[in-house]
Amino acid sequence: MKKNTNGSVKSAIKTEWDLSVFYKNEKDPKIEKEIKAVEKATLAFEKKYKNKDYISSSKKLLRAMQDYEELSKISGNVKGPLYFYFRKDLNSNDNIAQAAGTKLSNRLTISSNKIAFFTINISKIPTTRQKTYLNDKNLASYAYFLKLIFDNAKYILSEKEEQVIDLLSQTSYSMWIDGQDKLLSSQSIDWKGEKMPLAKALSILSDLPKKESDEMSSKINSILKSVSSFAEAEINAVYNFKKVLDERRGYQNPYSSTILGYQNTEKSIMLLIDLITKNFKISQRFYKVHAKLLKMKKLSVSDRGVKIGEIKKKFDFQTSVSIVGDIFSKIGQKYSDIFYRLLNSGQVDVFPKVGKTGGAYCAHDYNAPTFILLNHTDDLRSLETLAHEMGHAIHSELSKKQSIFYQHYTMSSAEVASTFFEQVSLNEIESQLSEKEKMISLHGRLQGDISTIFRQIACFNFELELHQRIRSEGQLSKEEIAKLLRKHLESYMGDAFNVTDDDGYFFVNWSHIRRFFYVYSYAYGQLISRAFFENWKKDNKYIEKIDQFLSAGGSMSPEEVFKKAGIDILDPKFFLSGLKSIEKDIERLEKFADKDI
């Protein structure tokens, strides 16, 4: 083990998850011991508070909340579901993990159902008394938690109904999603004499020359189309399940529960959606210059992510770690320390392989190590992904300062941290490039902005219409779903592209549409992180405000936490200024294109 010049500890980096930090294997007695502790504590809590008065005074409610917090900590100590989830993502054929995870989750659901009465009763507290409790100094540490319950009160059903929903969510949602993921994880394409995992093929598609890119895209589309019958059944099932729940709870729109759950307001988010949709001309403008730089009159969808040139340097994982680690240390030593600690502790799984789930993510839970999944392929995008997911990890680690109720930050805040660290990393790399490479990097950065903002809002619009169509027509065929996606791809891509119905079969692989309107958080987070980045560039001391955001977890609303950093996200002009800054970058790219560097 050694230290680099800035003091961060650098030892032998591990490139595979070390799941032994959880358990030895699926038979580890710790698993049963943890869940039995939850079941015992739950029964004791139920006996103490079921059909008892704990809401008629602030003193009674405080005592009950303290007990509920202790129970939550005991429940949080159960790591079995996370452990089996990770095992399944490393190997889609790990049927033992699949079965054990399902069984364990069912037991936890049964336990949680026993105490469903607790928050349901709190939600029924009269409005006048709610205000009293929210302003009570003795309840201050629980005030925001209580506020969220009160805000959701009118959508909460009876205790028995909530119990049934929890039990059915496994079979009517999770198992469908897991089945689709398992099917896709087992797919591979024949490519240059090897069986290439579908996830890897998707990740390297944009790096290939035009002829090879078209060939690979055709193979990918063929696979997606060949398994689309299952996806058709899956989408119709989970969307109808959501329809039933939304109607029973009284949500006005398909996206209402997501926006409320992410602690935003429908008015502000739909203004954001409308603003970006009305400005699809910006993404269309980018793709016109994209086509010009590629010297093509018409683009295929597979050309969407094609680079206009190569940055000669290869970013193998060791190189990426060294670069990102040094950049993080310049932002703040604590960030670099977290970065290396996760890498040295077997908390990052790096390379793609058959059976491993595609993409990248960061996962954390109460009193559990933060884990990152990557599919690194030695290009600049892989380096950006490393910085992005480590941004999530830093956010997660610093949020652990909060109580168990506030360690999980809202999804609408999640993408802010990740894209900030990604932007800083890319900006640092760009400063070291030649003029031509700067154009290539600017182009790549804009591709990311267009994808993160405009593509995701086009996905939101597609998802919304898909929900509306299924709700009115009962179900849609795979062909109709593909045509619908084609329509929304064309809306933000514009005339530069020739989009086909086959391109619409990407719905089979687009995991985001299974997470119900999650995608708006990408655009929301990207535009806020741009503001963070610009403020930090002007004044490095601004990192203190960013650090406050990173450490706040879910202890306050997104509006409040960003306001403390000097950003008013309720002002429509704020998001518009972010879009205008992207237009300025496109103007720079157009000037590069005119020079024909």
Side-chain angles (χ1 to χ4, degrees):
M1 185 179 292
K2 62 181 181 178
K3 288 189 176 182
N4 66 355
T5 54
N6 58 51
S8 297
V9 177
K10 299 173 72 175
S11 60
I13 290 171
K14 299 175 182 177
T15 59
E16 294 184 343
W17 277 344
D18 178 10
L19 298 183
S20 67
V21 298
F22 293 100
Y23 310 107
K24 295 176 183 177
N25 52 46
E26 68 276 0
K27 297 179 180 179
D28 193 322
K30 282 176 59 181
I31 299 174
E32 185 63 21
K33 183 179 178 180
E34 288 171 356
I35 193 166
K36 279 188 174 179
V38 172
E39 291 170 338
K40 180 180 178 181
T42 299
L43 287 172
F45 186 90
E46 180 187 26
K47 183 178 180 180
K48 184 175 183 179
Y49 289 105
K50 184 79 180 263
N51 298 320
K52 305 288 175 59
D53 171 28
Y54 55 89
I55 61 174
S56 63
S57 71
S58 60
K59 186 176 181 180
K60 289 180 179 179
L61 183 57
L62 174 61
R63 189 181 305 115
M65 286 302 304
Q66 289 170 337
D67 286 345
Y68 187 65
E69 183 174 11
E70 288 306 308
L71 176 61
S72 299
K73 289 178 181 178
I74 295 170
S75 299
N77 284 328
V78 178
K79 301 300 181 292
L82 197 61
Y83 168 72
F84 291 121
Y85 176 83
F86 288 153
R87 275 184 48 170
K88 181 175 65 67
D89 273 1
L90 289 181
N91 179 10
S92 62
N93 294 315
D94 189 343
N95 295 322
I96 293 175
Q98 181 83 31
T102 299
K103 186 177 179 180
L104 194 59
S105 294
N106 286 339
R107 286 178 68 180
L108 288 170
T109 298
I110 291 170
S111 273
S112 67
N113 275 341
K114 291 181 183 297
I115 58 169
F117 71 87
F118 186 75
T119 52
I120 291 174
N121 287 342
I122 290 175
S123 74
K124 306 306 180 186
I125 293 173
T127 305
T128 52
R129 201 184 303 160
Q130 287 178 14
K131 293 179 181 178
T132 301
Y133 289 168
L134 291 177
N135 292 316
D136 191 301
K137 291 181 180 179
N138 293 321
L139 288 167
S141 62
Y142 302 111
Y144 189 60
F145 179 83
L146 292 171
K147 180 182 182 300
L148 293 177
I149 294 176
F150 298 152
D151 288 346
N152 281 275
K154 67 179 180 179
Y155 305 112
I156 297 175
L157 304 177
S158 69
E159 181 183 345
K160 287 186 177 180
E161 285 176 307
E162 292 293 346
Q163 289 174 344
V164 170
I165 288 169
D166 280 346
L167 291 168
L168 288 178
S169 64
Q170 181 70 22
T171 55
S172 302
Y173 177 80
S174 298
M175 282 185 171
W176 275 108
I177 304 299
D178 289 344
Q180 176 68 7
D181 188 53
K182 185 175 181 179
L183 179 62
L184 290 173
S185 296
S186 65
Q187 302 301 310
S188 60
I189 68 169
D190 294 318
W191 189 254
K192 296 185 177 180
E194 71 166 299
K195 287 281 187 183
M196 181 178 290
L198 177 63
K200 183 175 182 180
L202 287 164
S203 69
I204 69 170
L205 182 63
S206 61
D207 296 328
L208 300 174
K210 170 65 176 170
K211 187 176 179 180
E212 291 186 8
S213 174
D214 286 345
E215 182 185 353
M216 179 175 279
S217 180
S218 177
K219 287 178 178 286
I220 290 171
N221 282 348
S222 293
I223 287 178
L224 296 179
K225 201 170 182 179
S226 71
V227 298
S228 60
S229 291
F230 185 89
E232 174 190 307
E234 172 234 4
I235 285 290
N236 280 291
V238 299
Y239 274 46
N240 272 298
F241 178 63
K242 177 171 169 54
K243 171 181 178 289
V244 172
L245 293 188
D246 283 353
E247 289 176 349
R248 188 69 189 89
R249 291 189 184 281
Y251 287 116
Q252 187 174 358
N253 299 296
Y255 48 74
S256 296
S257 60
T258 298
I259 293 175
L260 181 62
Y262 290 1
Q263 300 166 36
N264 295 124
T265 64
E266 283 196 29
K267 182 179 179 181
S268 64
I269 295 305
M270 295 316 292
L271 282 173
L272 173 67
I273 303 297
D274 185 58
L275 175 66
I276 295 173
T277 302
K278 286 179 178 177
N279 281 279
F280 276 169
K281 60 185 179 181
I282 296 175
S283 56
Q284 294 168 6
R285 180 179 176 182
F286 167 76
Y287 285 125
K288 285 180 180 178
V289 67
H290 179 57
K292 181 179 180 180
L293 288 165
L294 292 175
K295 296 180 170 57
M296 296 172 63
K297 290 184 178 180
K298 210 73 168 174
L299 299 168
S300 301
V301 172
S302 60
D303 299 318
R304 179 180 64 85
V306 171
K307 300 173 183 177
I308 58 171
E310 284 293 328
I311 294 176
K312 294 178 181 179
K313 184 177 179 60
K314 284 292 179 183
F315 297 92
D316 61 61
F317 191 64
Q318 289 290 344
T319 300
S320 296
V321 165
S322 179
I323 293 171
V324 174
D326 287 345
I327 291 169
F328 277 24
S329 69
K330 291 179 182 178
I331 305 172
Q333 185 60 47
K334 71 168 74 173
Y335 310 129
S336 179
D337 289 343
I338 293 171
F339 177 81
Y340 284 111
R341 174 163 55 80
L342 267 60
L343 286 165
N344 297 339
S345 302
Q347 292 170 240
V348 184
D349 200 88
V350 178
F351 301 110
K353 51 182 173 284
V354 175
K356 178 180 174 180
T357 193
Y361 67 71
C362 172
H364 77 285
D365 207 349
Y366 169 74
N367 200 27
T370 301
F371 271 63
I372 291 174
L373 181 137
L374 303 172
N375 277 280
H376 194 91
T377 53
D378 294 355
D379 57 3
L380 180 57
R381 184 60 201 146
S382 291
L383 182 148
E384 294 172 38
T385 300
L386 173 63
H388 182 101
E389 297 305 332
M390 279 293 181
H392 281 309
I394 288 168
H395 197 183
S396 298
E397 290 292 295
L398 294 181
S399 293
K400 290 180 179 180
K401 297 176 181 178
Q402 299 292 335
S403 74
I404 187 170
F405 292 140
Y406 304 134
Q407 285 189 15
H408 285 278
Y409 42 81
T410 172
M411 290 304 301
S412 60
S413 298
E415 294 303 320
V416 177
S418 56
T419 50
F420 169 74
F421 283 96
E422 181 183 348
Q423 281 183 298
V424 174
S425 298
L426 190 54
N427 184 70
E428 182 72 18
I429 292 168
E430 282 183 350
S431 67
Q432 303 168 21
L433 301 178
S434 66
E435 192 75 0
K436 184 172 183 177
E437 286 178 326
K438 283 180 180 177
M439 178 182 73
I440 294 170
S441 183
L442 172 62
H443 173 268
R445 180 152 51 84
L446 278 166
Q447 279 181 313
D449 285 337
I450 299 302
S451 181
T452 303
I453 298 171
F454 299 94
R455 181 171 183 255
Q456 299 300 346
I457 297 307
C459 178
F460 183 101
N461 294 336
F462 159 66
E463 192 181 341
L464 177 57
E465 188 169 357
L466 182 57
H467 277 279
Q468 291 169 336
R469 289 276 304 275
I470 289 175
R471 290 181 181 203
S472 64
E473 300 172 37
Q475 63 180 34
L476 291 184
S477 69
K478 57 185 182 295
E479 292 83 7
E480 290 171 308
I481 298 173
K483 286 180 180 178
L484 189 60
L485 179 53
R486 173 186 176 176
K487 166 188 165 184
H488 287 283
L489 290 175
E490 289 175 329
S491 70
Y492 90 97
M493 287 178 158
D495 296 337
F497 282 89
N498 177 33
V499 186
T500 69
D501 284 347
D502 277 1
D503 294 317
Y505 281 91
F506 189 73
F507 85 86
V508 174
N509 187 62
W510 207 340
S511 62
H512 292 148
I513 64 173
R514 280 91 175 160
R515 297 179 68 182
F516 304 144
F517 303 101
Y518 161 68
V519 290
Y520 88 76
S521 67
Y522 282 108
Y524 179 94
Q526 181 78 351
L527 290 169
I528 294 171
S529 73
R530 282 180 74 96
F532 271 7
F533 176 64
E534 292 300 327
N535 290 340
W536 176 77
K537 274 204 307 183
K538 293 174 187 174
D539 180 9
N540 286 350
K541 289 184 179 179
Y542 186 76
I543 194 62
E544 295 174 5
K545 291 188 176 181
I546 296 176
D547 197 69
Q548 289 176 1
F549 152 70
L550 294 170
S551 303
S555 62
M556 61 186 79
S557 72
E559 286 83 3
E560 289 175 306
V561 74
F562 294 131
K563 192 170 185 179
K564 286 181 177 290
I567 294 174
D568 182 6
I569 61 174
L570 298 179
D571 182 356
K573 293 179 182 178
F574 168 75
F575 288 115
L576 183 59
S577 66
L579 296 182
K580 288 185 179 298
S581 71
I582 294 172
E583 275 195 297
K584 289 181 180 178
D585 282 345
I586 294 174
E587 288 174 10
R588 283 179 57 210
L589 187 65
E590 287 171 337
K591 289 176 181 177
F592 273 128
D594 290 338
K595 291 179 183 178
D596 194 24
I597 296 175

